[in-house]
Amino acid sequence: MTAIAMVTGASGGLGQALARELRQAGWQLALVGRDRERLRAVFNAGELCIEADVSTPEGAGAALAQCQRELGVPTALAHCAGTTLLAPLHRTPAEQYRACLSANLDSAFFTLGAFVDALREVRQPGAAVLVSSVVARIGVANHEAIAAAKAGIEGLTRSAAATYATSRIRVNAVAPGILDTPAVARIIGNETGRTAAAKQYPLPGIGDPADLARLMAWLLSEQAGWITGQVWAMDGGFSSVRPLVR
Ligand SMILES: NC(=O)c1ccc[n+]([C@@H]2O[C@H](COP(=O)([O-])OP(=O)(O)OC[C@H]3O[C@@H](n4cnc5c(N)ncnc54)[C@H](OP(=O)(O)O)[C@@H]3O)[C@@H](O)[C@H]2O)c1
């Protein structure tokens, strides 16, 4: 029987790259997004596209339930739904803060919860990978709301990994620097912005979502079977090294 992987935020830049990677690795996919037409435009007709807003417990539960009904219980979860937000604390209205927390942290909390419930019911092992960000690990100006949301995801990762280790459910996260996806098109969509962004990194450049997708697919695979509770950075060294300033 082919193992089933659920990908949230599947119509986004990272979600699409990861769906390609997991498909190649032989997983059967359940692709989740808030707009079925958007998913249909990206994926072929044979694949299960689930319309759900996973930032609510009801939406996350409904996505898992539909996957179970139509394919079976997923043993892998890649939670790619999320946003970015470039705004200082004093210019972040309450609604924008709440939307950021909802899209990133609530969605991770409720989707991981529904995934774990489904696995525990059938007493199966499994693996989840969540998406944090470089801004959770090192103070980056003008990122307070997204930094808070992503730091929450890292705490969630470690605690859930501890709670469910005895059920053989692994939980890891990745923490990328800027990635070439629609989420940051406004920042790197022109040559000046792209060059300026690339220069911020010790290894200058913009992250390729396909590279991160390979890391995530590996974390979900049996090759990473003894790895849990970890946050893997892919950020050109931004969060860990300081090159010599000339
Ligand atoms: N791009 C970067 O530079 C960067 C850097 C660090 C971390 N990340 C993280 O990487 C992940 C993937 O982002 P991406 O770069 O692939 O961005 P993207 O292309 O904008 O895709 C993100 C997807 O998340 C879904 N989404 C957005 N808001 C949502 C909400 N409120 N509730 C549920 N789903 C929502 C959207 O899907 P639907 O509209 O179809 O539902 C969207 O396709 C995110 O967690 C992001 O925070 C990105």
Side-chain angles (χ1 to χ4, degrees):
M1 211 172 64
T2 316
I4 300 155
M6 173 175 278
V7 180
T8 69
S11 61
L14 179 60
Q16 285 186 46
L18 189 57
R20 272 195 298 277
E21 197 59 39
L22 292 172
R23 190 186 299 123
Q24 247 173 39
W27 292 88
Q28 194 173 5
L29 299 180
L31 304 157
V32 185
R34 288 170 301 171
D35 181 341
R36 196 190 316 271
E37 293 316 308
R38 214 173 142 213
L39 288 169
R40 280 268 161 258
V42 176
F43 297 103
N44 57 48
E47 268 161 340
L48 176 61
C49 291
I50 297 174
E51 188 173 78
D53 180 348
V54 294
S55 65
T56 68
E58 297 77 21
L64 259 293
Q66 188 176 343
C67 179
Q68 261 176 279
R69 265 195 322 274
E70 301 196 26
L71 295 180
V73 174
T75 53
L77 167 69
H79 182 60
C80 300
T83 57
T84 59
L85 181 62
L86 185 58
L89 178 59
H90 65 276
R91 290 220 190 104
T92 306
E95 312 78 66
Q96 205 173 31
Y97 163 76
R98 293 211 171 90
C100 179
L101 270 283
S102 163
N104 291 281
L105 184 55
D106 292 5
S107 70
F109 189 88
F110 296 130
T111 309
L112 184 62
F115 175 67
V116 160
D117 282 350
L119 281 175
R120 292 180 75 223
E121 211 172 294
V122 294
R123 295 173 187 274
Q124 287 237 28
V129 62
L130 308 178
V131 184
S132 178
S133 163
V134 67
V135 301
R137 326 190 97 196
I138 184 165
V140 180
N142 304 324
H143 284 78
E144 285 84 342
I146 189 72
K150 295 301 193 181
I153 287 180
E154 296 195 5
L156 168 65
T157 299
R158 285 185 284 268
S159 185
T163 306
Y164 301 111
T166 49
S167 307
R168 300 206 64 80
I169 300 172
R170 299 184 298 109
V171 186
N172 290 290
V174 291
I178 197 162
L179 292 173
D180 198 347
T181 72
V184 291
R186 270 190 307 138
I187 302 170
I188 60 169
N190 61 72
E191 212 38 55
T192 315
R194 200 178 172 86
T195 307
K199 271 198 204 148
Q200 308 271 324
Y201 293 85
L203 293 174
I206 304 291
D208 183 344
D211 288 341
L212 188 65
R214 271 190 291 278
L215 172 59
M216 293 172 76
W218 178 75
L219 284 169
L220 293 174
S221 77
E222 281 173 13
Q223 289 169 333
W226 209 41
I227 297 174
T228 197
Q230 303 298 316
V231 182
W232 295 66
M234 192 193 92
D235 62 5
F238 190 96
S239 62
S240 54
V241 305
R242 183 166 168 76
L244 201 61
V245 179
R246 290 179 200 280

